[in-house]
Amino acid sequence: MSTYDYDLFVIGGGSGGVRAARVAAGETGARVALAEEDRYGGTCVIRGCVPKKLMVFASEFASMPSLANGYGWDIEAGSFDWPTFRGHLNTELDRLEGIYRSLLKNSGVETFDARARLKDAHTVELSTGETKTAKTILIASGGHPVRPDMPNADLGIVSDDIFHLENLPKSILIVGGGYIACEFACIFHGLGVEVTQYYRGAQILRGFDDEARGLIAEAMLERGIKLHLGTNIVEMAPADADHNLSGSTASDAAMGADASMMGALSAAAKGDRSGPIWVKPTSGKPRAFDVVLFATGRDPNSSDLGLEDLGIEVGRRGEIVVDEFSKTACDSVYAIGDVTNRVNLTPVAIREGMAFVETVFKDNPTAVDHDLIPSAIFTQPEMGTVGLSEEAARDREPIDVYCTSFRPMQTAFAGKPDRVLMKLVVSVATRKVLGCHIVAPNAGEMIQLAGIAIKMGATKEDFDRTVAVHPTMSEEIVTMKTPMRTA
Ligand code: NDP
């Protein structure tokens, strides 16, 4: 009989932690406890993937009336009511959090609504003052969005704050060019907000296939998002008499300022810190925005967990360093998910949690497979991607690139300029498909299926042997006969 309170103590009730806890308890009979200081469900359910995707759905209705008009429907665009949507969203998130709690309860996991930190290799201290011991401790504490290190950065919001906005702003500046920046640029634009995006690099979505990210940038500009590449914030401040659009006094500014700046001045005059924000970019004139959103990356939640005293190694961004079985430098402590900063995606954290349970509780050492992970970026249009970009593949070996870009039937019929992209990157030597990149409505749904074939090691000829589903956009993925180029 174990002398510990539990076989497993999990720190963090997000996707990875909850899955590991309930599988360990439910399938192996382990005595499991879990501590969560915030809401159950973590980033994905409460302030990430789920509310974001619901906002994507909400924003996509904006383009539907004009599409319907092209098909003969007499429909007028209505207006979007943020408080109504947010009310429905909160109800849904409450429901999902309830499901997460009951999944744990029904699996026999004991939960603590408290912050936990490691006291020693087998003991956690809870913010309630209790201490609990466990044979194994699993850290699944996730990550958090970070602001750039600059004066007044706290005037900007981060992705966690979006779902709590009282009102939709009239104008927003989004800083960053990654997943979160691009997805929310499209979402806010669809909801009727005037969106400006600053990205410091030459093209958004660094690391993804050049052609695919180029097409998304084009589509975002075409839709009216003011995307400024090679641009960053130099300075920001509450809009006031010293920080106005004319760069001089308040009365000078009032003579030339636009409507939002006039609002800024009056808000600032009333001492309202939630008023518009004055921003000086690296190029161009200062501007005022109702909201500035920093989508400038996320860091692991590893501080104040007591790691140092146990000799657990932490990397440059605060990530807990683990081996292929998710074990830290301390034999009884494991870590999974965003806190390890490997591949920061919900399904990957879940896989890491399952592999941990196999390894520690089922006597079946299972390394996590991080190869060929399909993923989607929910921009409008979406990107679905798996495997190597053309650029990464050609650095490794000679490749054939099969690619087509066209106006899809549904929107072309209504006279819309939207384009889609289907692309396969193929090894010349083995004919294996090394990468597949799709930019199209519902590309996330398509790439899940393409991902199975590519994970199985499908060759271009396997794709060719597959009969097309007609008429669809994705049929192009099996009908591209001649390489566009060899590299
Ligand atoms: P990313 O790391 O993807 O992007 C951060 C962006 O901010 C980059 O464009 C980066 O520029 C820029 N940046 C960083 N620091 C600064 C700075 N000081 N000033 C200006 N710009 C800066 O982070 P995200 O926050 O977008 O997303 C975090 C993670 O969450 C993703 O990597 C992904 O794993 C996950 N995620 C997944 C989603 C999905 O699957 N659909 C959706 C949302 C998030 P540069 O490129 O030059 O470094």
Side-chain angles (χ1 to χ4, degrees):
M1 181 69 187
S2 167
T3 53
Y4 300 111
D5 296 332
Y6 304 100
D7 299 312
L8 172 65
F9 198 102
V10 180
I11 301 178
S15 306
V18 167
R19 178 64 66 93
R22 72 184 180 86
V23 175
E27 291 185 12
T28 76
R31 294 166 310 133
V32 181
L34 181 148
E36 167 58 56
E37 63 175 331
D38 198 335
R39 297 186 64 183
Y40 286 68
T43 298
C44 172
V45 176
I46 303 298
R47 51 194 164 267
C49 320
V50 171
K52 180 275 305 286
K53 188 82 189 271
L54 291 168
M55 284 185 76
V56 171
F57 291 141
S59 68
E60 283 176 342
F61 288 105
S63 60
M64 289 184 186
S66 67
L67 186 60
N69 294 158
Y71 281 81
W73 285 89
D74 182 14
I75 297 177
E76 279 182 29
S79 59
F80 173 71
D81 187 54
W82 170 253
T84 302
F85 170 76
R86 210 187 49 170
H88 294 171
L89 180 65
N90 287 336
T91 306
E92 178 62 1
L93 299 187
D94 289 347
R95 186 182 74 84
L96 293 173
E97 186 182 8
I99 289 175
Y100 269 70
R101 281 184 183 272
S102 52
L103 282 172
L104 288 168
K105 190 165 173 229
N106 296 342
S107 310
V109 177
E110 192 176 342
T111 54
F112 297 92
D113 290 0
R115 181 172 171 80
R117 72 188 301 279
L118 300 170
K119 192 170 177 214
D120 63 41
H122 294 282
T123 310
V124 293
E125 262 175 344
L126 299 177
S127 50
T128 53
E130 297 163 274
T131 55
K132 299 287 173 189
T133 58
K135 184 163 185 241
T136 305
I137 296 170
L138 177 66
I139 304 173
S141 50
H144 61 277
V146 289
R147 293 173 169 81
D149 183 15
M150 62 181 286
N152 286 330
D154 60 343
L155 292 172
I157 63 168
V158 292
S159 57
D160 289 359
D161 305 319
I162 291 171
F163 314 105
H164 303 294
L165 285 172
E166 280 295 317
N167 298 296
L168 270 189
K170 280 205 175 65
S171 65
I172 189 167
L173 169 65
I174 299 180
V175 183
Y179 283 83
I180 296 179
C182 296
E183 290 182 341
F184 277 103
C186 296
I187 289 169
F188 279 116
H189 174 73
L191 298 181
V193 179
E194 189 189 312
V195 178
T196 304
Q197 184 178 353
Y198 290 170
Y199 173 51
R200 63 185 179 181
Q203 184 56 282
I204 54 169
L205 298 171
R206 182 166 61 83
F208 291 95
D209 186 88
D210 275 358
E211 229 162 349
R213 62 203 188 113
L215 182 60
I216 289 176
E218 249 173 57
M220 287 168 66
L221 284 161
E222 172 87 40
R223 283 167 192 237
I225 293 166
K226 294 174 183 134
L227 172 61
H228 298 261
L229 299 173
T231 307
N232 209 346
I233 296 186
V234 180
E235 204 184 330
M236 65 191 288
D240 60 17
D242 293 329
H243 298 96
N244 56 64
L245 298 182
S246 71
S248 52
T249 66
S251 53
D252 289 343
M255 291 182 57
D258 63 15
S260 71
M261 192 61 203
M262 295 298 287
L265 290 171
S266 56
K270 282 187 268 166
D272 179 359
R273 297 276 297 173
S274 66
I277 301 157
W278 176 90
V279 168
K280 187 173 174 193
T282 43
S283 57
K285 291 185 182 156
R287 298 268 316 271
F289 299 94
D290 290 335
V291 168
V292 174
L293 166 65
F294 286 113
T296 44
R298 296 174 59 86
D299 279 353
N301 287 334
S302 61
S303 62
D304 196 28
L305 280 178
L307 304 176
E308 303 75 14
D309 300 341
L310 291 177
I312 294 175
E313 195 189 340
V314 168
R316 200 171 57 86
R317 288 200 77 133
E319 70 275 17
I320 298 179
V321 177
V322 290
D323 67 12
E324 77 239 71
F325 301 107
S326 299
K327 189 161 84 166
T328 70
C330 175
D331 280 349
S332 57
V333 180
Y334 287 70
I336 57 164
D338 287 8
V339 75
T340 62
N341 200 24
R342 288 176 281 181
V343 180
N344 297 335
L345 298 171
T346 299
V348 175
I350 290 172
R351 286 294 173 110
E352 290 168 355
M354 305 278 278
F356 158 78
V357 174
E358 284 292 323
T359 302
V360 177
F361 291 95
K362 295 191 178 177
D363 201 18
N364 174 29
T366 305
V368 186
D369 178 4
H370 288 117
D371 192 30
L372 291 172
I373 295 169
S375 69
I377 305 170
F378 295 100
T379 41
Q380 294 166 36
E382 272 174 39
M383 187 199 304
T385 179
V386 59
L388 298 176
S389 66
E390 177 179 340
E391 297 69 40
R394 76 173 176 227
D395 283 347
R396 291 197 190 179
E397 59 178 298
I399 51 165
D400 283 334
V401 178
Y402 297 81
C403 186
T404 177
S405 178
F406 55 95
R407 292 173 69 203
M409 189 194 247
Q410 188 190 24
T411 42
F413 182 81
K416 300 212 173 232
D418 306 26
R419 297 192 75 77
V420 301
L421 174 87
M422 305 280 159
K423 180 166 180 177
L424 293 177
V425 178
V426 176
S427 161
V428 168
T430 65
R431 301 297 295 155
K432 272 194 182 173
V433 177
L434 303 174
C436 175
H437 311 284
I438 301 177
V439 178
N442 296 315
E445 305 289 346
M446 298 180 203
I447 207 70
Q448 179 70 82
L449 303 179
I452 300 171
I454 293 168
K455 186 81 182 162
M456 290 174 74
T459 61
K460 176 66 172 66
E461 286 62 39
D462 291 325
F463 275 66
D464 293 346
R465 284 191 295 113
T466 307
V467 174
V469 178
H470 184 72
T472 63
M473 291 177 282
S474 55
E475 66 181 297
E476 297 289 333
I477 218 83
V478 296
T479 55
M480 293 184 284
K481 290 287 171 247
T482 320
M484 172 90 71
R485 55 190 168 269
T486 296

